Amino acid sequence: MTKFQLSSGTPRRLGAHHDGFGVNFAVFSEHASKIELCLFSADGQDEIQRIALPERSGPVWHGYLKDLPIGTLYGYRAHGSYAPEQGHRFNPNKLLLDPYTREMHGDWANDPATLGYDENSPAEDLSFDARDSAAFVPKSVVSDPALFKGLKGQHNPHLDRDLIYEAHPKGLTKLNAAVPKDIQGCYEGLASQPMLDHLKSLGVQAIELLPVHSFVDDKFLVDRGLRNYWGYNSIGFFAPEPRYFGPEGLKGFRAMVERFHAAGIEVILDVVYNHTAEGDQRGPTLSFRGLDNASYYRLTAGQPRYYVNDTGCGNTLNVAHPYVLRMVLDSLRFWVECMGIDGFRFDLATTLGREDHGFDPRGGFFDALRQDPVLSQVRMIAEPWDIGPGGYQLGEFPHEFSEWNDRYRDSVRRYWRGDAHSAQELGARLLGSAEMFDRAGRHSDTSINFLASHDGFTLADTTCYAQRHNHANTENNRDGHHSNYSDNGGVEGPTDDPKIQAVRQRRQRNMLATLFLSQGTPMLLAGDEIGNSQQGNNNAYCQDNALGWVNWDQADTDLLEFVKSLSRFRKTHLSVRQKRFLHGAARKRDGHPDVDWRDFDGEPLEWRDPGLANLCLTLRCSAEAPSFETDSDVVFIVFNRSSEQANVILPDTPDGLHWIRAIDTDKYQQGAFCELEVAKTVVSGQSVVAFVLKANEAKA
C-alpha cells in the first residue's frame, strides 16, 4: 500500500483539487469531532487507507496528500455526537459523498446499511447502526482539472430572448430514431444534429433541462420497481448525473453545451437547492446528514430530531447557513464557469428566499446572487412556490428573476374550456400579467408563459382527458394535480371519432396560438409541438419508460408545421413580444392606444359582462417606449370561443394599407388570406385569428 506524504493543506477551496503535485482535501463540518479521509481501490471495492484530516480551520477540515494521483476514489467518515434529539447524526460507519465532488464512481444501492439507524429497532431513528455502508454507495473522484477548464457561456444581457423549450435529458431523444442510437437518451443526443435542426426550426432560443445534478432513486420507488425519472432528488450539486452519459462520458456534457451554443441556443438548468435525497429522519445517511446534519438542514424549532419540510420532500436545505449558502453559490458558479451554463430555473424557489420571518425577496440568498459578479450576469428563473407557510409568491421575486406563471397556464386552459369569467382572466394573461409583474422596473418578459410543463398533463392530454390516470405510479391514482382544467371533448382518452379528434386538434392549435400571441416569454414543453401524450398521466415523475419519453413515431406533423409558423410570426412581429407592459395609453407619435380592446362589432369591450367570451385586441408599440425603440408593427387578434362563426369589424387602416389574415387556427393549412380594403371579415367558431397590415399593391 502506497503511503502518501500528509500535510495540513489549505481550507480556502472546498472539495478535492489536484494541483499537479498532489491533492488538497477540504470539507465543511461545524460540529464534527474528527473527519477521516478514506481512499479506495481503483474499482471502488476495497478501502485501502483511512487518514484523519490533520487540520481544522474554523469549520473546515483539510489536509494535503503529496503524489496522490488524479482518478483516486475516496469518501469521508465523520465522527461526532449521535444525538438526533439535539439535531446531530454523526455515524463514522457511513461512507459519505464529498458535497463538492465533480464525479462519482459506482452506483447507489437501496440497502439498509446506508441508514444511520437500525430500521428494525423500536427506537427507530434514535437507534444507532454500526454496519459499514461503503459497499452500497458511490465513491467521490479526484477529478482531472483539465476536464473543467473554463467554458464560455452564451449568456448575453442584450440577447433577444424568447422561446424556451423544456426538456428531459433522456426522454427527449430516447425514442427519436433520427438521433444516432448510441447517443439516444444521452447528453450528446440532446445536441445531435437532428435535434438541433428540430429546435432551430421551432425558433427555440433556450433549452431548459430537467435536473442534471446527480440524484438518487427514492427507496419507495425502487421497492415498487420504479425509479426517479425527473431527477428532483439531488445528492451531488457539482456532478452531472451519470445515467445520461453517452460514449464521451463527462466530456459529452460539455460537448453538448458547446454544440447548443454554436447553434445560438442557451442552456438553462433546472436546479434543486431546496432539499436533498436524504429525506426526513427515516432517510439514508449519504453525505450532508452525516457531515453536519444541524448545519446543512433546517430543523424543527424545539424538536431538532425532525426536519422542516417546506418542500414536501422530507427535508429543507438551510441556505441561511453561510457554508451551505457558499456551497450553493460555488455550485452555480461551477456550472457557469466550467460547464458553460447560461442560466438556472430554481425549483421551489420560495424555499430559498424564506427567512425566519417568512419569504423575503431581499433575503440573504437573493442578495448573494444579485451581487455575485458571475451569477448576476446569467439568466435566473423562479418556480415561485413551495408548500411551506406563505409558499405561493408569484410576482414577488427580485426584478432579476423571471417567474413561471402557472396562472397563465390555468387561465388559458379555463378560457378554451369555456369556464365562466375566464375571458377577463385571459385578457390579463395576454398582456404579460401586468397586475402581478408591472412594478419595480420589471418587464413583461418576466412572465414565463406556458400551457404545460413536465409537472402535469401534456398539451395533448389537456384536450383528451378530463381526469388524471396515474395508476402506473402505483399510488392508487392519488398523486398528481387535482385541478387540470382539461376537457376530453366527450370521450375519455383515445378515440376514432373524427369529430372529437377535430375538436381536440383545434383546441391544441387555439392554445398554442394564444401562447405565441401573448406578451411575456413563451415556454414550450418538449413534445407538445408534435402532440405527445402521456396517456393521461399528469405526474410522470417515476415513469422512466415509453410513457414518460417523447413519442416521435406518432408525431403530428401538421401540428409541428403550425407551431413553426407561430414561432416565425412571433419573431417577425415585435408587437406580440414587447418588453414594456401595455396599458392602453395613447402614443405620442399618432395618438393611438398601444392596446385597444374591442368586441366583434368594433365597440369598446365590456369587461364587466359576466358572459364575456370573445375578444379582439389591436397591439402597437408601447406608449412608454423611447423613440429609438418605436416600431410601426400593428397586429389585430381575434379570439372567438363560441362555436359559431362571427362577422368581425376590422380596425380602420391608414391610407395605402390593408389587413392580411396571417394566423388562423381554423384555416391553418391553407396559408395566409388577404382581406383587401374590406371593413369586416368572417372568423370561424372556436378559433384564433391574427391580422397584420400590408401595403396595397400599386394599380396598373
Side-chain angles (χ1 to χ4, degrees):
M1 181 175 64
T2 304
K3 292 290 186 179
F4 300 99
Q5 181 179 336
L6 177 66
S7 59
S8 295
T10 174
R12 293 178 182 173
R13 191 178 183 193
L14 295 172
H17 298 280
H18 197 281
D19 62 3
F21 304 98
V23 182
N24 190 84
F25 294 90
V27 61
F28 159 75
S29 181
E30 190 170 6
H31 296 101
S33 59
K34 181 171 71 171
I35 299 289
E36 291 179 313
L37 170 67
C38 303
L39 304 182
F40 284 82
S41 58
D43 61 4
Q45 297 301 308
D46 301 312
E47 183 178 338
I48 58 177
Q49 197 167 352
R50 190 177 297 191
I51 305 163
L53 291 179
E55 191 68 65
R56 176 177 180 174
S57 298
V60 177
W61 301 77
H62 52 97
Y64 182 90
L65 288 179
K66 186 179 180 182
D67 297 327
L68 191 70
I70 288 170
T72 296
L73 306 185
Y74 71 99
Y76 290 117
R77 298 182 189 273
H79 296 254
S81 174
Y82 189 83
E85 303 100 320
Q86 299 172 29
H88 301 305
R89 296 178 180 269
F90 293 102
N91 187 335
N93 300 295
K94 309 305 168 184
L95 188 74
L96 307 175
L97 187 76
D98 183 351
Y100 276 71
T101 191
R102 293 169 288 179
E103 296 179 85
M104 298 188 305
H105 176 89
D107 300 314
W108 301 99
N110 179 25
D111 192 277
T114 62
L115 301 174
Y117 63 96
D118 181 355
E119 64 177 343
N120 297 314
S121 169
E124 299 181 327
D125 63 297
L126 298 180
S127 63
F128 186 83
D129 184 80
R131 287 171 292 185
D132 191 340
S133 68
F136 308 103
V137 299
K139 311 308 181 288
S140 305
V141 180
V142 175
S143 295
D144 183 350
L147 288 174
F148 304 101
K149 288 183 178 178
L151 188 62
K152 186 177 181 181
Q154 182 78 5
H155 40 272
N156 181 345
H158 304 295
L159 187 68
D160 180 21
R161 296 165 167 165
D162 205 27
L163 181 59
I164 298 174
Y165 189 82
E166 191 200 21
H168 188 280
K170 177 180 181 179
L172 178 61
T173 65
K174 185 62 178 176
L175 297 179
N176 192 334
V179 175
K181 194 167 184 62
D182 64 333
I183 57 174
Q184 291 173 0
C186 302
Y187 294 123
E188 294 99 317
L190 290 170
S192 60
Q193 197 57 49
M195 287 310 308
L196 291 178
D197 292 343
H198 177 75
L199 296 174
K200 293 296 289 182
S201 72
L202 289 171
V204 169
Q205 293 171 296
I207 185 166
E208 182 177 305
L209 298 177
L210 267 67
V212 301
H213 291 168
S214 60
F215 62 91
V216 180
D217 292 316
D218 314 67
K219 180 182 183 300
F220 76 93
L221 291 177
V222 176
D223 290 344
R224 298 175 187 171
L226 299 169
R227 60 192 310 203
N228 191 313
Y229 173 52
W230 286 349
Y232 293 89
N233 205 34
S234 300
I235 193 66
F237 296 116
F238 295 78
E241 172 53 45
R243 70 184 72 186
Y244 307 138
F245 282 158
E248 296 185 73
L250 190 147
K251 293 180 180 178
F253 185 96
R254 285 167 54 97
M256 170 199 73
V257 174
E258 289 181 310
R259 285 182 59 82
F260 274 130
H261 288 172
I265 297 174
E266 290 185 330
V267 182
I268 299 170
L269 298 186
D270 195 334
V271 289
V272 187
Y273 295 112
N274 55 76
H275 76 281
T276 79
E278 292 183 307
D280 63 13
Q281 71 275 6
R282 297 161 295 184
T285 296
L286 308 176
S287 179
F288 313 98
R289 173 175 284 137
L291 283 169
D292 195 342
N293 184 69
S295 293
Y296 274 108
Y297 294 112
R298 290 179 57 209
L299 306 179
T300 302
Q303 292 183 300
R305 173 186 177 186
Y306 302 105
Y307 296 79
V308 171
N309 188 19
D310 290 342
T311 65
C313 300
N315 64 57
T316 302
L317 265 180
N318 182 19
V319 294
H321 190 287
Y323 273 86
V324 181
L325 178 59
R326 174 179 171 179
M327 178 187 70
V328 172
L329 297 177
D330 286 347
S331 168
L332 291 168
R333 279 190 294 267
F334 166 77
W335 289 98
V336 173
E337 296 182 312
C338 299
M339 307 299 270
I341 296 305
D342 305 291
F344 303 96
R345 180 263 192 189
F346 293 91
D347 179 65
L348 303 183
T350 299
T351 301
L352 303 174
R354 184 174 283 109
E355 303 286 331
D356 290 341
H357 56 274
F359 177 79
D360 187 348
R362 294 180 176 85
F365 175 75
F366 297 130
D367 286 349
L369 278 184
R370 297 163 79 183
Q371 61 80 38
D372 189 283
V374 173
L375 301 178
S376 62
Q377 303 303 306
V378 303
R379 197 168 188 174
M380 292 185 282
I381 302 172
E383 182 185 40
W385 51 78
D386 68 8
I387 68 166
Y392 191 76
Q393 294 291 334
L394 180 64
E396 299 301 322
F397 280 73
H399 77 272
E400 292 90 347
F401 280 77
S402 300
E403 300 181 37
W404 269 30
N405 189 348
D406 62 328
R407 288 181 63 182
Y408 180 92
R409 174 199 62 201
D410 294 348
S411 294
V412 174
R413 290 185 182 186
R414 292 183 67 247
Y415 174 78
W416 287 110
R417 193 174 69 168
D419 290 12
H421 307 293
S422 57
Q424 289 85 346
E425 293 179 21
L426 182 69
R429 305 300 154 249
L430 291 172
L431 298 186
S433 300
E435 80 279 15
M436 290 180 282
F437 297 114
D438 189 9
R439 58 178 180 79
R442 304 185 86 180
H443 298 148
S444 66
D445 55 9
T446 298
S447 176
I448 304 293
N449 301 331
F450 60 98
L451 305 170
S453 69
H454 69 275
D455 188 5
F457 276 155
T458 67
L459 174 62
D461 285 354
T462 302
T463 68
C464 297
Y465 296 91
Q467 306 294 331
R468 66 190 179 206
H469 295 266
N470 297 354
H471 304 283
N473 297 355
T474 67
E475 297 180 43
N476 296 318
N477 204 35
R478 294 192 301 265
D479 60 303
H481 294 294
H482 294 276
S483 300
N484 297 292
Y485 304 111
S486 58
D487 181 22
N488 61 24
V491 174
E492 187 76 353
T495 179
D496 294 327
D497 188 320
K499 292 184 179 179
I500 294 178
Q501 289 179 341
V503 167
R504 292 173 174 179
Q505 292 164 359
R506 177 79 69 87
R507 180 77 58 81
Q508 290 180 56
R509 295 195 300 272
N510 285 339
M511 289 197 286
L512 285 163
T514 304
L515 176 68
F516 280 86
L517 294 172
S518 296
Q519 308 295 326
T521 300
M523 184 183 80
L524 190 66
L525 173 64
D528 277 356
E529 74 276 18
I530 58 172
N532 184 61
S533 171
Q534 292 177 173
Q535 299 174 33
N537 192 314
N538 74 349
N539 190 32
Y541 76 104
C542 56
Q543 299 301 323
D544 189 4
N545 50 52
L547 181 66
W549 304 336
V550 175
N551 186 343
W552 294 91
D553 287 342
Q554 297 182 14
D556 184 338
T557 55
D558 286 339
L559 183 63
L560 175 60
E561 293 305 313
F562 179 65
V563 175
K564 291 178 183 179
S565 70
L566 290 174
S567 183
R568 289 193 297 268
F569 181 90
R570 183 176 178 87
K571 184 175 180 61
T572 302
H573 295 282
L574 297 178
S575 292
V576 298
R577 54 183 183 93
Q578 300 187 55
K579 183 169 69 173
R580 290 171 175 79
F581 290 96
L582 308 177
H583 293 290
R587 308 192 309 169
K588 292 182 180 179
R589 60 184 294 185
D590 56 15
H592 289 303
D594 51 20
V595 59
D596 188 17
W597 297 93
R598 298 283 168 169
D599 61 19
F600 287 172
D601 295 324
E603 298 298 323
L605 205 60
E606 182 48 69
W607 289 106
R608 296 182 180 180
D609 180 1
L612 184 65
N614 305 313
L615 310 169
C616 300
L617 69 157
T618 305
L619 298 172
R620 297 180 176 86
C621 181
S622 170
E624 298 177 359
S627 58
F628 58 83
E629 283 188 7
T630 56
D631 186 87
S632 59
D633 183 53
V634 182
V635 176
F636 177 63
I637 309 171
V638 179
F639 292 86
N640 184 7
R641 193 177 69 185
S642 67
S643 58
E644 304 296 328
Q645 71 177 27
N647 291 317
V648 177
I649 301 296
L650 296 170
D652 294 336
T653 60
D655 291 340
L657 298 175
H658 63 274
W659 290 109
I660 291 180
R661 187 184 303 233
I663 295 291
D664 190 330
T665 59
D666 176 40
K667 302 178 176 64
Y668 71 104
Q669 292 177 320
Q670 302 179 34
F673 290 76
C674 296
E675 305 286 352
L676 297 177
E677 302 178 12
V678 295
K680 68 171 60 176
T681 190
V682 175
V683 172
S684 301
Q686 286 284 307
S687 66
V688 180
V689 181
F691 300 85
V692 297
L693 289 172
K694 183 179 180 181
N696 296 337
E697 295 182 3
K699 296 182 179 180

